[in-house]
Amino acid sequence: MLLVYICLVVIARFVYFPLHFVDGKIGTLTIGFSTTLSDMISLIPFFFLFDRYDGWLINIIGNIAMFIPVGIVWPICFRKLDNIKKTVFAGICFIIFIELSQLLCPERHTDIDDVILNTSGVLIGACILFAIRKSRNDVP
């Protein structure tokens, strides 16, 4: 279970406390609502990804890599996640919770791109774990 907690803490650190500078100091998380909901939500896949971020490649790799451990660790710790579909479904539920909770943080952005990329990470992690489990079961 310690691995699950580590996954949650690392994800929370990057999601809610991104490393950005405000007046030469690391910015703090503020809670509240933005002026308009349309500024906070992006529902068109990959529409803003390349325009909004100078480091779009790092954003893509980071969003995927951050959730690979979830796809590996959660099925190890939770016996009911005994196949890839259940693991990815649990991961999507967690990711949607994270994205919706960002609506309370005016400096954060709820984005369908994050859901897609994070889910890809969970899927990759689950595929790795279940491939390893399958290869161990196939060896006499």
Side-chain angles (χ1 to χ4, degrees), residues 9 35 75 110 115 117 125:
V9 168
T35 54
T110 298
V115 174
L117 296 170

Side-chain angles (χ1 to χ4, degrees), residues 32-43 52 99-112:
F33 289 100
S34 179
T35 54
T36 62
L37 198 57
S38 63
D39 291 340
M40 298 176 70
I41 300 175
S42 173
L43 297 175
R52 189 179 330 147
E99 291 300 316
L100 292 176
S101 69
Q102 288 185 39
L103 291 173
L104 299 174
C105 308
E107 296 174 359
R108 305 304 301 150
H109 190 82
T110 298
D111 196 348
I112 192 67

Side-chain angles (χ1 to χ4, degrees), residues 1 4 70-87 90 129-130 133:
M1 284 302 289
V4 172
V70 171
I72 294 171
V73 171
W74 283 22
I76 292 171
C77 293
F78 304 113
R79 293 187 195 272
K80 289 189 177 189
L81 300 179
D82 57 0
N83 63 44
I84 292 173
K85 282 184 182 180
K86 289 180 184 178
T87 302
L129 176 71
F130 288 102
R133 283 183 176 175

Side-chain angles (χ1 to χ4, degrees), residues 13-14 17-21 26-27:
R13 189 268 176 238
F14 284 107
F17 306 100
L19 230 156
H20 67 282
F21 291 97
I26 296 176

